[in-house]
C-alpha cells in the first residue's frame, strides 16, 4: 500500500484512478483496511483509511476506525473531527455517537458527551453501547442511581448481555446492595463460567457478604485463567487479609503493584494492611503512593489520615480528611472521621464550629445529630443530648458503616446512662460490643498467655534468675493494674511533674517477648533459661525503645504505663530487679463495668471485655496472678487506690512521689492542662481526664447490679481483699 495519498501528476491518471476506485476497488480497499486493523496492523490500515478520506470516499466504518486510532494515540481533536464528520454524513450510524462521547469525556466535556449519547439512544433505543457509555459517565460522577437506571434499561433490551450484567453488579455493590450484585454476577457466569471479570467481581462481592471462603474460591479460579490480573490479585489480597493470612495478602498486593505500577487501589490496601500490622511508616509511604497515582482517591486520603493519627501527626490527619471532603463534598465517611478526630482530641470548640458551618447539609444530617449529641453530653446537658441522639434515623443507622454504627451505640449508651435509663443503656453497651473484628480474636489466647507467664514461678531456678541482670542506676517505673482502674488519670497527673515522663501504652514489653521467642527460641514459660548476656541484651533493647518514645529527654523518672503488663511482671522483674511498680486498683465491680462499657480496639486481651461475666473472669485471673507475683517476686511496689485518689488528692499523690523519691511540685495540680496539651490520649479515658475530679463513677455498678448475677463468685473475694 506504499504511496497511498501521493498526488497524481496528470488529470488523465487521476480520472482513471477515481473511476477504478469508484467502480472496483473502494469496497476492496475498505475490506483490506478492516482486515489489517483487526489483525493489529494499525499503520497499514491507517494509510488506507487516510487515502480514502483524502479522496472523499466516505464510509462510516472508515471515519469511525480512523477516529478510534487517533483516540488511541491521544490526538483527540483529529478524532473529534472524524466522528463529527461521520455523524454529519451518516446520522443514523450510532457507533460514531458513542465514540465521540468517549473522546469528549477524556477532554473533560462530560455534559456534552451525555447529550450526544442521549441523542444516540433517541435514534436507536435498542442499541446497547450508548447506555453503557452513559452509565460509565454517571459512575465517574458518583451518580450510581442514574447509572443503575441506564444499565437496567440495557438489560431489558438484552438480558443476556454479559458486560451489562457485570457493570450493573458493580454499580449495585457501590450502592450498598451486594446481595443483588451477587445475583447478576452469577447470571453472567451462567453465560460464560470462565469470564474472568465476573469471577473477580463475584469474589469481591462475596467478601463483602462475609462469604469469605467462597469468595476466595472464585478469585483463585479467576487467577487460574489470568495469573497476571492486578484486580484479581488485589481482591484476593482483601480476602486473605480478612482471614488474617497477612503474609500472602501482602504478597498479592505487592504482585498487583509489580504488574501495574500505578495501581492506586492496591497501594491503598497494602498501606491499610501494613498499618494493621503496626508498620506505620511503611503504611504511610504506600498510602501516599495511592494518592500520588490517583489524586482524587478520597478513601486513600481518609486512610492516610488515620495512619497519621497513629503516628501522632494530627494536623496532617486533619488536612487529609478535609482534602477528602474537597474531592467529594458528599463523602460522609470523611466527615465522620474528622468529627471523631476533634472529639477524641478534646477539640470541642473546633468540632462545634465545623458542625455549625455544615448544619444545613442534609447529606450529613445524621452525623451532625450524632456528634451534636456528643457535644451536649460532654457539656453535661444530658436531656438535650438524648433529644438529639434520638433524632438519628434508624434507616441511616442500618446502612452506615460498621465503625460508625458501633460509635453511635457507644455514644447513646452513655447518654441513656446519664438520664438514668439504665436498662436501655445496658442494651446499647451490648450493641457497641458487636465489633465484627472480634471474630478474628480469641479470649482464651490471652488467658493462656497469663497461665504461661505463671508457670515461670514453678521453676526453682527462676527466683535466682534476676541475679544475672545488671542493675540500672535509673530503672524504669511500671504503672500497671487492670484496665479502667484509674491508670490514665494517674498517668496524666504524674506526667505533670517536671521530672517525670510517661510512655503511654506502647507495646515495648511485647516486642521484648517477640525477641525471646525469635532470637533465643524460648517460650514465655522458659524465662529462667535466659542467661546474663541474654538479659542484658533485652534490658538494653527495652531501655533504648523506651527513651526513644519519651518527650521529656531530661526527665529523671521514666514511667511505662500499660495496665495489663501486670501479667508480664516475671519478665519485668528479670529485666529490672530494682524497678519500682505502681499498682492501681479500683472497686472490682466498677472496674469490670467500665471495661464492658468501653469500645476498645479489638485484640485477644480486649475480647474478654465483651460481657460482664467474661470481664469478671479475666479480672479474677489477673488479680490471682498479682497475688502470686507479690508473694514470689522481690518487687518494690506501691498500690494506688482510685477512690483514695479522688477523696484526698494531695495526700495520695504525695505518697506516690515519696515512693519515687521526688518532691512535690505545684504543677501536679494542673494535670487537666497537661491533658488538654496532649493532642492524643491513647485510651478511652481521653474525654474524662480533662474533667475535674468527680465521684459519679464510684459505685456506678449498683445501677446495673442485676447484670452481675453470674459474676459475684469472681468479684466478691476481691471486694474483701481490697477492703471495699
Amino acid at each position: 500500500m506504499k504511496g497511498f495519498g501521493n498526488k497524481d501528476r496528470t488529470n488523465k491518471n487521476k480520472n482513471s484512478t477515481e473511476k477504478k476506485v469508484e467502480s472496483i476497488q473502494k469496497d476492496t480497499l475498505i475490506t483490506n483496511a478492516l482486515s489489517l486493523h483487526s489483525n493489529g496492523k494499525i499503520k497499514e490500515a491507517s494509510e488506507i483509511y487516510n487515502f480514502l478520506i483524502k479522496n472523499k470516499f466516505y464510509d462510516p466504518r472508515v471515519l469511525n476506525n480512523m477516529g478510534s486510532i487517533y483516540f488511541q494515540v491521544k490526538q483527540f481533536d483529529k478524532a473529534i473531527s472524524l466522528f463529527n464528520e461521520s455523524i454529519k454524513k451518516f446520522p443514523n450510524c450510532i457507533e460514531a455517537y458513542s465514540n465521540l462521547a468517549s473522546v469528549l469525556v477524556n477532554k473533560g466535556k462530560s455534559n456534552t458527551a451525555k447529550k450526544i449519547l442521549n441523542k444516540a439512544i433517541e435514534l436507536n433505543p435498542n442499541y446497547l453501547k450508548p447506555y453503557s457509555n452513559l452509565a460509565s459517565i454517571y459512575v465517574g460522577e458518583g451518580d450510581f442511581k442514574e447509572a443503575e437506571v441506564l444499565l437496567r434499561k440495557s438489560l431489558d433490551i438484552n438480558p443476556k448481555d454479559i458486560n451489562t450484567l457485570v457493570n450493573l453488579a458493580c454499580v449495585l455493590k457501590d450502592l450498598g446492595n451486594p446481595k443483588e450484585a451477587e445475583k447478576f454476577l452469577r447470571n453472567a457466569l451462567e453465560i460464560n463460567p470462565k469470564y474472568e471479570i465476573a469471577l473477580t467481581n463475584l469474589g469481591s462481592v462475596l467478601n463483602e457478604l462475609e462469604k469469605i471462603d467462597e469468595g476466595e474460591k472464585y478469585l483463585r479460579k479467576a487467577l487460574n485463567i489470568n495469573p497476571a490480573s492486578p484486580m484479581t490479585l488485589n481482591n484476593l489480597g482483601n480476602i486473605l487479609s480478612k482471614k488474617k493470612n497477612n503474609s500472602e495478602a501482602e504478597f498479592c498486593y505487592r504482585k498487583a503493584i509489580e504488574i501495574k505500577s500505578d495501581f492506586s487501589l492496591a497501594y491503598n490496601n497494602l498501606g491499610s494492611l501494613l498499618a494493621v500490622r503496626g508498620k506505620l511508616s511503611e503504611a504511610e509511604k504506600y498510602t501516599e503512593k495511592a494518592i500520588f497515582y490517583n489524586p482524587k482517591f478520597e478513601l486513600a486520603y481518609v486512610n492516610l489520615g488515620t495512619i497519621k493519627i497513629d503516628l501522632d501527626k494530627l494536623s496532617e490527619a486533619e488536612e487529609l480528611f478535609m482534602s477528602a471532603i474537597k474531592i467529594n463534598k458528599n463523602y460522609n465517611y470523611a466527615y465522620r472521621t474528622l468529627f471523631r478526630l476533634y472529639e477524641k482530641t478534646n477539640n470541642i470548640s473546633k468540632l462545634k464550629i465545623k458542625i455549625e458551618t455544615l448544619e444545613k447539609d442534609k447529606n450529613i444530617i445524621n452525623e451532625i445529630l450524632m456528634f451534636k449529641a456528643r457535644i451536649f453530653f460532654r457539656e453535661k446537658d444530658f436531656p438535650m443530648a438524648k433529644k438529639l441522639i434520638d433524632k438519628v434515623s434508624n434507616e441511616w443507622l442500618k446502612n452506615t458503616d460498621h465503625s460508625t454504627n458501633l460509635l453511635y451505640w457507644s455514644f447513646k449508651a452513655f447518654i441513656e446512662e446519664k438520664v438514668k435509663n439504665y436498662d436501655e443503656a445496658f442494651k446499647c453497651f451490648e450493641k457497641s460490643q458487636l465489633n465484627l473484628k472480634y471474630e478474628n480474636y480469641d479470649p482464651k489466647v490471652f488467658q493462656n498467655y497469663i497461665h504461661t507467664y505463671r508457670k515461670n514461678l514453678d521453676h526453682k531456678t527462676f527466683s535466682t534468675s534476676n541475679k544475672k541482670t545488671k542493675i540500672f542506676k535509673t530503672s524504669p517505673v511500671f504503672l500497671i493494674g487492670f484496665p479502667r482502674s484509674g491508670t490514665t488519670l494517674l498517668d496524666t497527673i504524674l506526667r505533670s511533674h517536671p521530672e517525670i515522663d510517661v510512655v503511654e501504652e506502647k507495646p515495648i514489653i511485647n516486642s521484648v517477648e517477640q525477641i525471646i521467642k525469635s532470637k533465643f527460641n524460648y517460650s514465655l514459660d522458659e524465662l529462667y533459661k535466659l542467661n546474663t548476656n541474654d538479659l542484658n541484651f533485652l534490658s538494653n533493647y527495652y531501655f533504648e525503645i523506651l527513651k526513644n518514645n519519651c518527650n521529656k529527654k531530661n526527665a529523671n523518672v521514666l514511667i511505662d504505663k500499660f495496665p495489663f503488663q501486670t501479667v508480664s511482671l516475671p519478665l519485668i522483674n528479670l529485666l529490672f530487679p530494682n524497678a519500682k511498680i505502681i499498682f492501681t486498683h479500683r472497686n472490682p465491680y466498677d472496674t469490670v463495668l467500665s471495661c464492658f462499657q468501653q469500645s476498645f480496639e479489638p485484640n485477644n486481651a480486649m475480647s474478654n471485655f465483651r460481657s460482664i461475666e467474661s470481664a469478671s473472669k479475666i479480672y479474677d485471673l489477673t488479680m490471682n496472678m498479682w497475688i502470686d507475683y507479690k508473694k514470689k517476686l522481690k518487687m518494690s511496689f506501691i498500690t494506688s487506690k482510685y477512690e483514695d485518689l479522688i477523696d484526698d488528692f494531695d495526700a495520695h499523690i504525695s505518697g506516690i512521689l515519696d515512693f519515687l523519691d521526688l518532691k512535690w511540685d505545684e504543677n501536679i495540680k494542673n494535670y487537666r492542662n497537661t491533658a488538654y496539651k496532649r493532642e492524643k490520649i491513647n485510651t478511652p479515658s481521653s474525654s474524662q481526664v480533662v474533667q475535674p475530679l468527680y465521684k459519679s463513677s464510684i459505685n456506678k455498678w449498683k445501677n446495673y447490679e442485676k447484670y452481675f448475677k453470674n459474676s459475684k463468685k469472681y468479684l466478691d473475694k476481691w471486694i474483701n481483699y481490697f477492703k471495699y
Side-chain angles (χ1 to χ4, degrees):
M1 296 302 163
K2 187 176 179 183
F4 273 11
N6 292 338
K7 287 186 178 180
D8 294 327
R9 295 294 181 181
T10 67
N11 288 332
K12 183 179 178 181
N13 288 339
K14 180 179 178 182
N15 292 335
S16 176
T17 301
E18 287 178 356
K19 286 177 182 179
K20 287 180 182 178
V21 171
E22 288 174 359
S23 62
I24 303 171
Q25 291 185 325
K26 178 182 175 183
D27 289 341
T28 303
L29 286 170
I30 292 173
T31 302
N32 287 342
L34 294 176
S35 176
L36 289 166
H37 196 164
S38 64
N39 287 313
K41 296 181 179 180
I42 306 300
K43 183 180 177 183
E44 292 88 339
S46 297
E47 287 182 352
I48 301 176
Y49 291 147
N50 279 321
F51 173 80
L52 291 164
I53 293 166
K54 192 170 186 179
N55 285 278
K56 300 183 180 180
F57 299 121
Y58 296 120
D59 183 284
R61 294 169 295 175
V62 171
L63 293 166
N64 278 311
N65 285 3
M66 194 62 227
S68 296
I69 290 170
Y70 281 133
F71 182 31
Q72 288 168 9
V73 296
K74 298 185 178 179
Q75 294 187 35
F76 297 137
D77 289 339
K78 287 185 177 181
I80 289 171
S81 176
L82 288 176
F83 293 140
N84 275 324
E85 188 72 17
S86 180
I87 291 170
K88 180 180 177 182
K89 296 190 179 304
F90 308 99
N92 292 321
C93 180
I94 308 302
E95 186 72 24
Y97 293 86
S98 294
N99 290 340
L100 177 58
S102 297
V103 185
L104 291 169
V105 168
N106 269 270
K107 293 201 73 174
K109 298 180 179 180
S110 295
N111 288 334
T112 306
K114 284 191 278 189
K115 290 177 183 177
I116 289 168
L117 289 167
N118 280 316
K119 178 65 176 176
I121 291 170
E122 182 183 323
L123 288 168
N124 186 351
N126 293 320
Y127 184 53
L128 297 181
K129 192 171 181 181
Y131 290 98
S132 59
N133 287 1
L134 193 53
S136 179
I137 293 173
Y138 281 115
V139 167
E141 293 175 345
D143 191 345
F144 297 106
K145 281 289 185 185
E146 189 61 35
E148 179 189 2
V149 170
L150 287 160
L151 290 167
R152 287 189 186 276
K153 285 181 180 178
S154 182
L155 273 188
D156 288 341
I157 299 165
N158 183 0
K160 297 292 185 181
D161 186 75
I162 194 166
N163 289 317
T164 303
L165 287 165
V166 172
N167 290 338
L168 179 56
C170 292
V171 166
L172 289 167
K173 178 177 178 290
D174 286 332
L175 282 169
N177 191 353
K179 286 186 178 179
E180 197 174 5
E182 178 188 4
K183 181 186 76 173
F184 286 111
L185 288 166
R186 291 191 186 278
N187 289 345
L189 288 170
E190 283 181 12
I191 298 166
N192 182 358
K194 292 185 177 181
Y195 190 36
E196 175 211 332
I197 297 173
L199 289 165
T200 296
N201 281 289
L202 181 56
S204 177
V205 166
L206 291 170
N207 179 25
E208 196 166 311
L209 291 168
E210 300 298 328
K211 300 176 182 179
I212 299 174
D213 291 336
E214 191 181 3
E216 182 180 356
K217 180 185 76 174
Y218 280 102
L219 287 165
R220 293 197 184 276
K221 277 185 180 180
L223 276 183
N224 285 335
I225 296 167
N226 181 7
S229 167
M231 185 58 76
T232 308
L233 285 162
N234 174 78
N235 291 354
L236 180 58
N238 292 342
I239 279 186
L240 293 169
S241 176
K242 189 176 280 189
K243 294 179 77 170
K244 295 299 174 184
N245 189 346
N246 291 333
S247 296
E248 193 180 355
E250 184 175 340
F251 171 82
C252 287
Y253 293 139
R254 291 188 186 277
K255 186 69 176 175
I257 290 166
E258 182 184 317
I259 296 166
K260 182 175 168 57
S261 61
D262 63 348
F263 194 10
S264 58
L265 187 60
Y267 280 111
N268 176 69
N269 291 335
L270 178 56
S272 297
L273 176 65
L274 292 168
V276 169
R277 301 181 77 178
K279 300 178 180 180
L280 294 176
S281 296
E282 202 177 357
E284 179 183 32
K285 180 183 77 173
Y286 281 106
T287 314
E288 284 172 346
K289 281 192 174 183
I291 292 170
F292 174 79
Y293 287 116
N294 182 1
K296 294 190 178 295
F297 192 178
E298 59 259 46
L299 175 60
Y301 283 89
V302 176
N303 287 347
L304 183 57
T306 58
I307 292 168
K308 297 282 190 183
I309 290 173
D310 289 335
L311 288 167
D312 294 332
K313 299 177 181 179
L314 301 187
S315 59
E316 291 181 42
E318 180 184 5
E319 289 176 13
L320 286 160
F321 298 149
M322 295 292 286
S323 295
I325 291 166
K326 283 180 184 176
I327 293 166
N328 182 357
K329 66 178 183 179
N330 295 324
Y331 194 29
N332 299 48
Y333 184 48
Y335 288 106
R336 292 194 288 272
T337 50
L338 180 65
F339 294 166
R340 183 59 171 157
L341 172 65
Y342 291 149
E343 195 273 335
K344 187 71 175 169
T345 56
N346 295 310
N347 205 334
I348 301 302
S349 59
K350 209 165 190 177
L351 177 59
K352 276 184 177 180
I353 292 168
K354 178 56 70 176
I355 284 179
E356 283 172 6
T357 62
L358 297 166
E359 198 129 27
K360 294 181 181 178
D361 189 340
K362 293 182 179 179
N363 181 60
I364 54 169
I365 184 62
N366 292 290
E367 288 85 352
I368 288 172
L369 286 169
M370 178 173 153
F371 279 91
K372 277 187 76 173
R374 183 64 173 176
I375 291 169
F376 280 104
F377 173 84
R378 295 280 298 263
E379 294 177 341
K380 303 189 185 307
D381 188 343
F382 305 124
M384 179 57 75
K386 177 167 171 53
K387 182 178 179 181
L388 290 167
I389 202 81
D390 286 346
K391 286 184 178 180
V392 171
S393 161
N394 288 329
E395 187 65 22
W396 171 84
L397 187 61
K398 187 170 63 176
N399 293 317
T400 191
D401 66 279
H402 185 58
S403 61
T404 303
N405 184 283
L406 296 173
L407 188 61
Y408 166 86
W409 289 116
S410 178
F411 282 1
K412 181 170 172 59
F414 284 110
I415 291 169
E416 296 290 357
E417 181 179 83
K418 287 298 184 181
V419 296
K420 300 184 179 181
N421 293 337
Y422 298 114
D423 288 338
E424 183 62 28
F426 192 85
K427 291 176 186 176
C428 293
F429 283 124
E430 285 184 316
K431 290 178 181 178
S432 74
Q433 290 294 348
L434 298 178
N435 194 326
L436 295 176
K437 291 181 183 178
Y438 276 121
E439 293 176 6
N440 299 313
Y441 298 101
D442 184 353
K444 290 183 180 178
V445 171
F446 187 70
Q447 295 164 23
N448 293 335
Y449 169 77
I450 296 176
H451 289 299
T452 300
Y453 257 119
R454 171 63 182 77
K455 289 177 184 177
N456 285 287
L457 303 186
D458 296 330
H459 291 276
K460 294 179 181 179
T461 56
F462 180 80
S463 60
T464 59
S465 293
N466 59 17
K467 293 178 181 178
K468 305 174 188 175
T469 313
K470 73 175 182 181
I471 303 297
F472 285 84
K473 289 182 180 178
T474 54
S475 286
V477 175
F478 292 88
L479 176 53
I480 60 170
F482 195 83
R484 310 301 300 162
S485 60
T487 51
T488 301
L489 175 59
L490 190 56
D491 157 1
T492 306
I493 293 167
L494 292 176
R495 73 168 68 227
S496 301
H497 194 289
E499 295 184 59
I500 296 176
D501 198 9
V502 183
V503 175
E504 182 189 38
E505 303 202 8
K506 299 290 184 184
I508 310 176
I509 286 293
N510 290 139
S511 65
V512 172
E513 292 170 349
Q514 294 307 312
I515 290 177
I516 291 170
K517 294 173 185 177
S518 60
K519 181 179 176 64
F520 301 118
N521 295 316
Y522 297 139
S523 66
L524 294 180
D525 59 353
E526 296 177 316
L527 299 180
Y528 63 92
K529 292 183 179 180
L530 294 165
N531 62 37
T532 300
N533 290 334
D534 299 339
L535 291 170
N536 288 340
F537 172 86
L538 292 168
S539 56
N540 285 322
Y541 169 84
Y542 169 91
F543 231 137
E544 183 179 352
I545 298 177
L546 182 71
K547 288 179 178 177
N548 287 339
N549 279 280
C550 287
N551 295 317
K552 295 182 190 173
K553 300 303 178 184
N554 297 320
N556 293 322
V557 176
L558 301 183
I559 298 179
D560 180 349
K561 176 249 180 175
F562 209 131
F564 256 146
Q565 283 181 176
T566 302
V567 175
S568 312
L569 279 172
L571 176 57
I572 291 169
N573 192 237
L574 271 184
L575 298 179
F576 304 104
N578 61 331
K580 293 184 176 182
I581 310 293
I582 304 173
F583 177 82
T584 65
H585 67 88
R586 177 186 178 192
N587 183 303
Y589 281 85
D590 282 332
T591 303
V592 165
L593 174 65
S594 189
C595 286
F596 165 69
Q597 290 180 327
Q598 305 310 313
S599 300
F600 293 103
E601 183 60 30
N603 59 39
N604 290 323
M606 299 302 111
S607 63
N608 287 277
F609 294 152
R610 300 185 72 193
S611 72
I612 293 289
E613 186 173 3
S614 60
S616 300
K617 285 181 181 178
I618 202 69
Y619 181 92
D620 180 43
L621 179 57
T622 304
M623 291 305 125
N624 278 318
M625 292 303 103
W626 168 243
I627 299 302
D628 280 351
Y629 293 160
K630 280 205 304 180
K631 289 178 182 176
K632 299 189 178 183
L633 299 177
K634 294 181 179 178
M635 298 184 297
S636 174
F637 69 89
I638 187 173
T639 58
S640 173
K641 185 176 182 179
Y642 172 79
E643 290 81 2
D644 289 348
L645 170 60
I646 301 300
D647 282 341
D648 195 340
F649 179 93
D650 288 9
H652 191 81
I653 297 301
S654 292
I656 293 174
L657 292 176
D658 287 343
F659 174 69
L660 299 176
D661 298 320
L662 293 174
K663 294 181 179 178
W664 177 269
D665 188 283
E666 278 302 309
N667 197 52
I668 284 283
K669 291 188 174 181
N670 295 325
Y671 72 92
R672 290 175 63 204
N673 291 336
T674 301
Y676 274 117
K677 288 176 183 176
R678 293 172 67 192
E679 283 191 309
K680 187 180 72 164
I681 297 173
N682 295 316
T683 76
S685 303
S686 57
S687 64
Q688 296 166 331
V689 295
V690 296
Q691 303 292 329
L693 294 181
Y694 54 88
K695 295 187 177 183
S696 59
S697 62
I698 296 175
N699 286 325
K700 187 169 75 169
W701 72 273
K702 289 185 177 179
N703 298 315
Y704 302 92
E705 188 167 4
K706 66 182 179 182
Y707 299 106
F708 282 88
K709 182 176 61 176
N710 297 323
S711 299
K712 291 181 178 293
K713 58 188 173 187
Y714 302 113
L715 301 180
D716 281 351
K717 56 185 168 185
W718 301 110
I719 287 285
N720 296 327
Y721 179 84
F722 289 120
K723 298 179 181 178
Y724 282 98

